[in-house]
Amino acid sequence: PWILISAALAQLLYRVSAAAASGKGPDADTLKVWSGALNAQGLSEQTAPAVFAAAGDAVLSRIAHHVRAANIGFRLDEQLDKKTGATASAKSLTWSYAEVFNALLWRSHAMAAAGHTTAAS
């Protein structure tokens, strides 16, 4: 997996969370599809902000897990080896950083839309 694509997925999940918290989230039919993709039984308009934010957090946590395990000081390389999880390919890929920062920006929007005011939310 590419770190930048994984971070882009997290960004998407946070965007949906923010939209759902603002009352502009997916309709019921779309939530059914997302429910299967996220393995989130009972996904509804009321639970969507928290479920999508948690899914975004899970993606970023997985990236952080592998980067920490690589013991490379949070350097964001291009890819994670699909069998070992080790970082691979281009070192310190700018796009990887950009996508992680974009995901974190959208996380802050999602938290604000849900009424959370602390960075640790």
Side-chain angles (χ1 to χ4, degrees), residues 6-7 9-15 17 38 49-65 68 103-104 106-108 110-111 116 119-121:
S6 298
L9 171 60
Q11 180 186 161
L12 170 67
L13 294 165
Y14 292 132
R15 284 177 178 245
S17 174
L38 298 175
V51 169
F52 281 98
D57 286 350
V59 173
L60 289 184
S61 292
R62 195 69 177 158
I63 293 170
H65 166 81
R68 281 187 189 111
L104 291 170
W106 276 98
R107 184 182 192 281
S108 70
M111 295 298 108
H116 298 287
S121 298

Side-chain angles (χ1 to χ4, degrees), residues 3 60-76 80 85 87:
I3 290 175
L60 289 184
S61 292
R62 195 69 177 158
I63 293 170
H65 166 81
H66 288 293
V67 171
R68 281 187 189 111
N71 199 25
I72 55 175
F74 282 98
R75 186 181 75 216
L76 297 176
L80 301 171
T87 57

Side-chain angles (χ1 to χ4, degrees), residues 13-96:
L13 294 165
Y14 292 132
R15 284 177 178 245
V16 176
S17 174
S22 301
K24 301 174 187 167
D27 62 26
D29 289 336
T30 304
L31 284 175
K32 285 181 188 176
V33 174
W34 275 109
S35 178
L38 298 175
N39 194 25
Q41 279 61 29
L43 179 61
S44 67
E45 290 179 18
Q46 293 74 32
T47 63
V51 169
F52 281 98
D57 286 350
V59 173
L60 289 184
S61 292
R62 195 69 177 158
I63 293 170
H65 166 81
H66 288 293
V67 171
R68 281 187 189 111
N71 199 25
I72 55 175
F74 282 98
R75 186 181 75 216
L76 297 176
D77 294 345
E78 183 179 14
Q79 298 177 42
L80 301 171
D81 184 274
K82 68 181 178 180
K83 293 181 183 170
T84 68
T87 57
S89 299
K91 305 283 187 244
S92 292
L93 188 68
T94 304
W95 289 355
S96 294

